[in-house]
Amino acid sequence: MQGKQSLMLDIERLMVQVLDNAQMERLHAVLEYCLFDVENLPLERAHLSNDEYLERFVSAKRLEGCSEKSLRYYSATIQRFFVNVNKVVTRVTTDDLRAYLSSYQLTSRAGKTTIDNVRRILSSFFSWLEVEDYILKSPVRRIRKIKSTKTVKETYTDEALERMRDGCRELRDLAIVDMLASTGMRVGELVRLNRDDVDFEARECIVLGKGDKERRVYFDARTKLHLQAYLESRDDDNPALFISLCKPFRRLQISGVEIRLRELGRRLDINKVHPHKFRRTLATRAIDKGMPIEQVQVLLGHQKIDTTLQYAMVDQRNVRNSHRRYIA
């Protein structure tokens, strides 16, 4: 004879596709009451508060290696959802989520990419609730990825890179341009580098990427010469690879690099000079010249190859040349 607990699970599995979370909770409570014949059984399960659910979710993500910056973004996005929906998360339905995303798009005038980021974060949160058995199924399952128009993002031309090198007035800035251009590292990885992290003989260094994962990146001979010249010009004892130009010499921050490059671009009349654009340029050229996408993925430190493909935009001139070669 089938056990009562097993029977309850079978009934719930059959009903999970037609009932929402709140209805499934009521079904579970009714089954417990009827099958176990316990008097005065409350028809509601004890709930944690929304903030307690969020706190546990953030803790789980932190253990998975998410950065504190990402965790703050997740928390802010989910908290905003709590305020607007004003329901215990275990009772949130797919209709609640659709209404929220639609309202968010209208009131904030956010683009489709932003709205899909919100959907993705909420999906991660509710999927975690499902895995942890706080809910029976995620209400985000039925909400599909929001399609957005893909724009071809700009990369630097060879001419623009040379103009930036020639336009640098400080050895430090020249070394930064070369390091970003030849390694494709993130600006956050750049500013965390110490002198001891650089192996000039092998022309490589170890960077600390997202999720505190270390990886090896490589630079060219020109970068080596410019970086050595910059370090030889310093008379400080700061272990940081890149520091401020004025005393007290402190480790250069992300904002400092961004401001310096933006000023360089304005002075040289080069459009949108930003650290991340060096990374996209490296990925594009590597794939364009035949580097296997799996190797580019390792070089950039991406967990998923789809992320690498988003960075790499095939050079349209080569598409034209290939068309003439193979088709025309």
Side-chain angles (χ1 to χ4, degrees):
M1 182 177 179
Q2 188 177 27
K4 292 180 180 179
Q5 193 66 31
S6 178
L7 178 61
M8 288 173 60
L9 288 173
D10 285 344
I11 294 172
E12 288 175 351
R13 288 193 190 100
L14 290 171
M15 298 301 295
V16 74
Q17 297 300 324
V18 294
L19 301 181
D20 60 30
N21 284 317
Q23 291 168 332
M24 286 299 296
E25 285 209 2
R26 178 56 63 90
L27 173 64
H28 182 87
V30 170
L31 287 172
E32 281 188 336
Y33 181 80
C34 293
L35 295 177
F36 290 91
D37 197 25
V38 176
E39 294 182 1
N40 301 320
L41 178 71
L43 292 181
E44 302 292 339
R45 284 184 182 178
H47 292 292
L48 299 172
S49 70
N50 282 355
D51 288 339
E52 288 173 319
Y53 284 122
L54 177 57
E55 184 180 346
R56 295 186 181 190
F57 169 72
V58 169
S59 296
K61 287 295 178 183
R62 183 176 287 113
L63 286 175
E64 290 176 12
C66 286
S67 69
E68 290 302 316
K69 181 180 178 181
S70 295
L71 293 177
R72 287 194 295 271
Y73 180 44
Y74 292 166
S75 295
T77 301
I78 296 169
Q79 285 283 9
R80 180 170 181 169
F81 171 75
F82 289 164
V83 170
N84 283 270
V85 174
N86 195 27
K87 267 188 174 183
V88 177
V89 293
T90 56
R91 294 186 172 279
V92 170
T93 66
T94 301
D95 287 339
D96 291 330
L97 285 156
R98 287 194 178 117
Y100 171 71
L101 292 172
S102 177
S103 174
Y104 188 106
Q105 187 172 25
L106 288 173
T107 56
S108 65
R109 296 183 180 179
K112 291 183 178 179
T113 301
T114 301
I115 298 302
D116 194 59
N117 284 337
V118 175
R119 179 203 62 81
R120 180 176 50 81
I121 291 170
L122 292 174
S123 177
S124 178
F125 176 57
F126 281 98
S127 294
W128 174 83
L129 289 171
E130 179 182 335
V131 169
E132 295 292 319
D133 292 327
Y134 291 121
I135 60 176
L136 288 166
K137 67 173 181 176
S138 168
V140 192
R141 282 190 187 185
R142 296 175 182 173
I143 302 178
R144 296 182 179 179
K145 176 178 170 59
I146 299 166
K147 295 180 180 179
S148 58
T149 303
K150 291 185 178 180
T151 57
V152 178
K153 296 182 180 179
E154 293 181 3
T155 57
Y156 295 121
T157 63
D158 290 337
E159 178 185 353
L161 288 172
E162 287 305 316
R163 286 178 61 199
M164 279 188 274
R165 291 186 178 102
D166 292 340
C168 289
R169 295 171 177 172
E170 300 289 343
L171 287 172
R172 183 202 66 179
D173 296 347
L174 177 57
I176 288 174
V177 167
D178 276 334
M179 282 291 279
L180 290 172
S182 63
T183 65
M185 68 175 66
R186 302 176 178 93
V187 64
E189 296 166 348
L190 178 87
V191 298
R192 282 195 293 267
L193 279 172
N194 291 324
R195 301 191 207 197
D196 293 342
D197 296 325
V198 181
D199 183 343
F200 284 102
E201 188 65 29
R203 296 210 308 261
E204 63 185 37
C205 52
I206 303 294
V207 297
L208 188 65
K210 287 186 175 180
D212 292 333
K213 294 180 180 178
E214 290 186 344
R215 78 175 188 286
R216 199 177 303 272
V217 297
Y218 310 92
F219 51 88
D220 56 25
R222 172 166 50 184
T223 303
K224 173 182 176 179
L225 293 175
H226 291 161
L227 188 57
Q228 285 178 325
Y230 162 62
L231 292 176
E232 288 169 3
S233 72
R234 286 170 50 180
D235 57 3
D236 61 275
D237 58 359
N238 194 316
L241 184 61
F242 294 107
I243 59 172
S244 58
L245 296 173
C246 303
K247 292 183 178 180
F249 299 113
R250 293 188 178 128
R251 181 182 295 274
L252 194 61
Q253 301 299 310
I254 292 175
S255 59
V257 177
E258 291 174 342
I259 291 169
R260 197 71 175 180
L261 290 176
R262 188 160 56 244
E263 291 174 348
L264 178 65
R266 287 172 181 168
R267 180 158 50 84
L268 300 176
D269 196 26
I270 299 175
N271 187 41
K272 296 179 181 178
V273 176
H274 188 273
H276 203 76
K277 199 171 176 180
F278 290 96
R279 185 169 167 84
R280 191 183 309 123
T281 300
L282 179 81
T284 300
R285 292 186 178 181
I287 291 179
D288 195 50
K289 291 182 178 181
M291 188 175 186
I293 187 68
E294 295 83 4
Q295 293 181 16
V296 180
Q297 177 187 4
V298 173
L299 190 65
L300 297 179
H302 290 152
Q303 287 188 335
K304 298 180 179 179
I305 202 164
D306 289 348
T307 308
T308 310
L309 289 170
Q310 291 174 8
Y311 279 70
M313 303 297 176
V314 177
D315 193 322
Q316 193 63 38
R317 291 169 299 181
N318 284 352
V319 174
R320 179 188 61 198
N321 292 338
S322 294
H323 181 273
R324 289 176 179 174
R325 179 181 177 184
Y326 296 109
I327 301 174

